Amino acid sequence: MTVVCPSFRQCAFAAVAFLLLSASQGVGQTSPRQVGRLLDPAIQTPDAIAVEMQRYLAARVPELRVPPTAEEFTREASRVRRRLLDEVVLHGWPKEWVESPVKVEDLGLVPSGKNYRMRKLRFEVFPGFQTTGILYEPETVQGRIPAILNVHGHVGAEGNAVEYKQKICINQALRGILALSLEWLGSGELNHAENQHRYAAHLDLVGANGVGVFYLTMRKALDYLYQHPTVDRSRIGMTGVSGGGWQTILLGALDERVFAAVPAAGYAPYRYRLARIQEAGDHEQNPTDLFRGVDYTHLTALLAPRPALLIYNAEDNCCWRASLVKPELFDLVAPIFRLYRGEDRFFWHENIDPGDHNYHLDNRLRAYRFFSSSFGLPEITQEIPVDAQIKSVEELRVDLPPGNATLITLARTLAQRIERAPIPSRTSERAAWADRQRKGLAETVRFPQFILSHAWGVASTKHSGLETISYKFEFSNGLTATAVRVKAMTTPDNAPVTIVLNDKGKKASGAPVSDRVNRGEIVLAADLLLTGDMTPGPRPGPGGYAQLLATFGERALGLEAAQLVTLSRWLSERSQDRTLRLEATGVRSQVVSLVATALHPALFSDVVIREGIPTLGQLLEVPTEPRAAPELFCLGLYRDFDIDRLIAMGAPARISSQR
């Protein structure tokens, strides 16, 4: 720059002003593009993060303990069922919805084959939300007869019309069993885009555990069978394949009215699942908090001493291969059945023909034999041929009422019921209010306590007037974060510090980092858990890992906020100025930043939010895909808190929003 002035005095004044301006701006010539190139190189690889996450989660898988006596296990099983129902599965659901009597509409008969009848049913699960079923009845009924609840997996538009399920239900009816085929969320007549299972996360957001809608849908159908005038209540069974296997183990474990259970290729213990992380499952199979202290081994053990048959396939092309699952599941649960001298009631079947993900003839025959034996019926050795009696999707359509609720509209309905006490307007009252709110927020996000074990400097640069150090931060809980520290070479080490977060990762933070460096500041562009360099890959992705953390009782949001707090303290201790600013771009970074500030309000002097949202309710109205912002769908977050409350709790930090 050339300074032109008419006199020595004016020229000297201009030169001093320029020097002061240059000092305040650091090097004064950085650009977002230049800084972006320095931030772009990855510090961690997706595969390394995946291994780190798998180890972290595997350490939280509980072991199944075999007690000395059956009596002791019975007491423990009762306690576990009650806890899982009260504290997890039914958490946050309106009591009047949970306890409402079963309401079923009989919409008439469907033309069927000889010796059985088919009846269309419609079940109310919640006010405004219904599902459908097809009841297969023996033509002649003498006395009380057994019943089986038949559920299915993610079969898409076919729903109750899927071929193997029709064959199973017809054969059950022809053998003197009342068979109910239940429609499932995301399939058949419930095959709505907003019923895809990932949207159960929106129910979590408004405070009702998403697994409750799955559980109560099954329980309503079980209520119907239990109250049916022809059913022997002591002989009710349940079976399903894939997602239907998951449904069978969940309801069978938690409701002892299910006397005999046949889950087929539906689940595996978490040690198996984490070793094959691509098979992690969805929100249905990884419900929030369900596996905090238990695993699928525990749920399977809860079937004891009732009869149970586990069916798995030798070369399953979807999920769980028999030879790999058996030592991790059946072999560990068998000792529980032995406590009851019930070895003859716990069975394993490996399907070899065809061996893929199926409920074909070999598996069906094994299930028929199991149920006939368990119910005291004549032995079944062959399937009755019913190919000509298979109905089309249209023939089995029951028809749901217009505007039938979805997972999203259920979440919106629950959101409308939210009532929060107003934020105190008086300054004298707000401090005490904020302290009380912080305790609740820490519990909601399960804010953990850990320290920074080590800050590894893994790379550095010095050129064009800038210097950088790339860090890998190791925390005492076994997780890591990454960041790049950027400053002008002329900037002193005690200069003000700004932390920059971006939903797209540090590599997208060139503009805000350049701006703060030009102002003479030190900047730390960080990637926290599940963001930027800290994104594990390739499957199940950040959304899948957030689910797994939640099912073990942790929250990605709490972990990320705690990482931010820990890094900020480390920076504050290294800086003599101890003044920290925080800039966050994107909805995910916004909420993480506001949670950290609300819990530790003295940590930051200023918090600047870009591209944020004014309310968490916006996640419901769009609706936002949970995998796009997985940590935000934190159980109860919107029910108890919103953006305005987090901002109010963050005082005295100055929090502002910019475009």
Side-chain angles (χ1 to χ4, degrees):
M1 177 178 179
T2 302
V3 179
V4 180
C5 47
S7 68
F8 173 81
R9 183 176 180 180
Q10 290 173 320
C11 194
F13 178 81
V16 170
F18 170 69
L19 289 173
L20 290 172
L21 178 63
S22 297
S24 69
Q25 292 183 333
V27 292
Q29 74 269 16
T30 67
S31 68
R33 184 176 180 181
Q34 173 194 6
V35 173
R37 286 197 296 268
L38 298 174
L39 300 175
D40 186 64
I43 299 172
Q44 294 251 64
T45 66
D47 287 345
I49 301 303
V51 170
E52 176 184 303
M53 291 296 300
Q54 289 168 47
R55 288 175 178 169
Y56 182 83
L57 292 164
R60 282 145 182 80
V61 178
E63 300 287 348
L64 175 64
R65 187 181 70 87
V66 181
T69 66
E71 292 76 16
E72 185 175 339
F73 183 79
T74 297
R75 288 193 297 271
E76 176 65 8
S78 179
R79 184 193 67 80
V80 170
R81 283 192 195 93
R82 191 74 266 150
R83 180 183 68 81
L84 290 177
L85 284 171
D86 292 346
E87 299 179 16
V88 180
V89 175
L90 302 178
H91 173 89
W93 287 96
K95 185 177 181 181
E96 64 271 23
W97 291 10
V98 172
E99 297 180 354
S100 64
V102 61
K103 297 178 182 178
V104 181
E105 295 178 79
D106 185 338
L107 300 179
L109 294 173
V110 181
S112 62
K114 294 181 179 180
N115 300 320
Y116 72 97
R117 292 185 299 269
M118 299 170 63
R119 191 176 300 276
K120 293 183 177 183
L121 303 177
R122 195 157 61 197
F123 296 82
E124 181 184 86
V125 182
F126 303 122
F129 174 55
Q130 299 188 22
T131 188
T132 64
I134 304 295
L135 186 67
Y136 296 74
E137 306 170 312
E139 190 171 64
T140 302
V141 175
Q142 295 181 349
R144 300 273 183 161
I145 63 174
I148 297 177
L149 175 58
N150 293 272
V151 287
H152 60 70
H154 310 162
V155 296
E158 285 187 282
N160 280 327
V162 67
E163 171 261 350
Y164 66 80
K165 195 180 185 190
Q166 291 192 59
K167 289 182 176 179
I168 290 171
C169 291
I170 294 171
N171 267 265
Q172 289 170 356
L174 291 173
R175 303 290 186 176
I177 299 170
L178 191 71
L180 175 59
S181 178
L182 180 67
E183 193 59 273
W184 195 240
L185 285 145
S187 298
E189 294 187 70
L190 294 177
N191 189 25
H192 189 287
E194 292 184 355
N195 278 332
Q196 299 307 305
H197 294 170
R198 60 184 177 271
Y199 288 116
H202 290 72
L203 293 165
D204 276 15
L205 182 66
V206 298
N209 195 315
V211 72
V213 70
F214 300 110
Y215 177 80
L216 289 168
T217 299
M218 294 184 284
R219 200 178 78 176
K220 293 293 185 182
L222 180 60
D223 289 344
Y224 172 79
L225 290 177
Y226 194 74
Q227 296 171 18
H228 197 282
T230 68
V231 168
D232 179 352
R233 294 181 173 182
S234 67
R235 292 188 294 169
I236 297 178
M238 185 173 182
T239 188
V241 67
S242 193
W246 175 88
Q247 296 152 41
T248 300
I249 190 57
L250 183 68
L251 188 65
L254 299 183
D255 197 318
E256 293 178 278
R257 293 179 296 175
V258 176
F259 169 69
V262 183
Y267 65 95
Y270 271 100
R271 291 199 188 282
Y272 175 102
R273 295 157 70 89
L274 294 173
R276 301 155 186 84
I277 199 65
Q278 294 85 353
E279 302 172 15
D282 62 15
H283 201 286
E284 174 192 31
Q285 297 172 322
N286 303 313
T288 299
D289 288 338
L290 186 63
F291 295 102
R292 187 183 191 185
V294 302
D295 192 5
Y296 280 110
T297 50
H298 299 75
L299 293 187
T300 307
L302 289 179
L303 296 174
R306 294 168 285 154
L309 165 65
L310 309 186
I311 293 178
Y312 286 85
N313 304 303
E315 296 185 358
D316 200 306
N317 54 329
C318 163
C319 311
W320 332 112
R321 295 208 168 189
S323 60
L324 302 177
V325 173
K326 187 175 183 290
E328 299 286 347
L329 180 63
F330 182 85
D331 293 351
L332 297 181
V333 175
I336 299 295
F337 277 80
R338 284 198 290 270
L339 290 175
Y340 296 92
R341 297 178 181 174
E343 297 93 330
D344 60 345
R345 295 192 294 276
F346 190 46
F347 304 96
W348 175 268
H349 177 66
E350 179 176 350
N351 169 254
I352 298 174
D353 181 17
D356 59 6
H357 197 65
N358 77 91
Y359 213 149
H360 294 326
L361 182 60
D362 175 62
N363 283 334
R364 296 199 299 269
L365 285 172
R366 187 63 188 89
Y368 297 151
R369 289 197 296 271
F370 167 81
F371 281 122
S372 63
S373 174
S374 300
F375 292 156
L377 300 175
E379 182 182 6
I380 298 174
T381 58
Q382 292 184 339
E383 181 176 77
I384 300 171
V386 294
D387 293 58
Q389 299 169 41
I390 299 301
K391 304 292 184 183
S392 68
V393 171
E394 287 304 317
E395 288 176 302
L396 293 185
R397 181 176 297 280
V398 178
D399 286 331
L400 291 164
N404 192 52
T406 65
L407 293 174
I408 293 294
T409 58
L410 275 174
R412 290 172 183 160
T413 297
L414 291 171
Q416 292 171 0
R417 298 165 64 107
I418 293 174
E419 295 181 359
R420 306 187 196 97
I423 301 171
S425 56
R426 295 182 180 178
T427 305
S428 58
E429 297 175 353
R430 185 171 292 191
W433 167 85
D435 285 340
R436 293 192 300 271
Q437 293 287 299
R438 286 186 192 103
K439 293 178 182 178
L441 179 61
E443 173 58 28
T444 295
V445 303
R446 304 281 167 86
F447 191 78
Q449 301 295 327
F450 53 76
I451 61 173
L452 179 63
S453 300
H454 197 82
W456 297 94
V458 297
S460 64
T461 66
K462 281 189 178 182
H463 57 76
S464 302
L466 289 175
E467 62 178 76
T468 70
I469 300 178
S470 298
Y471 286 101
K472 173 184 174 182
F473 297 102
E474 290 186 359
F475 302 103
S476 58
N477 66 347
L479 295 177
T480 61
T482 60
V484 178
R485 178 178 181 267
V486 186
K487 76 179 191 73
M489 293 181 185
T490 56
T491 299
D493 288 335
N494 63 348
V497 178
T498 290
I499 300 175
V500 172
L501 304 178
N502 193 302
D503 285 7
K504 298 177 181 178
K506 62 176 175 55
K507 64 182 181 180
S509 299
V513 172
S514 175
D515 176 61
R516 302 318 295 188
V517 167
N518 289 345
R519 294 171 184 266
E521 296 182 10
I522 300 171
V523 183
L524 190 78
D527 283 339
L528 306 176
L529 181 69
L530 305 182
T531 306
D533 284 0
M534 295 302 301
T535 301
R539 292 177 60 190
Y545 282 106
Q547 280 179 18
L548 291 168
L549 287 166
T551 204
F552 288 124
E554 303 199 26
R555 304 290 185 265
L557 179 57
L559 286 164
E560 292 167 16
Q563 287 187 342
L564 176 57
V565 168
T566 305
L567 290 183
S568 300
R569 287 174 171 164
W570 173 78
L571 274 174
S572 182
E573 291 169 0
R574 291 169 58 91
S575 171
Q576 297 178 24
D577 184 276
R578 295 183 181 272
T579 300
L580 297 181
R581 290 179 71 261
L582 177 60
E583 292 197 14
T585 300
V587 176
R588 299 174 65 189
S589 299
Q590 172 196 21
V591 177
V592 171
S593 298
L594 292 180
V595 167
T597 306
L599 292 174
H600 293 273
L603 197 54
F604 304 106
S605 61
D606 294 90
V607 178
V608 177
I609 305 297
R610 294 187 176 88
E611 300 175 19
I613 54 176
T615 171
L616 293 170
Q618 189 169 316
L619 301 175
L620 300 174
E621 296 307 320
V622 174
T624 301
E625 281 275 357
R627 55 194 171 197
E631 56 279 281
L632 271 56
F633 293 88
C634 177
L635 181 62
L637 182 64
Y638 181 52
R639 180 194 61 194
D640 298 326
F641 304 93
D642 201 359
I643 300 299
D644 60 341
R645 301 177 90 78
L646 296 176
I647 290 174
M649 293 161 61
R654 296 181 294 272
I655 302 174
S656 61
S657 296
Q658 299 180 8
R659 291 186 178 274

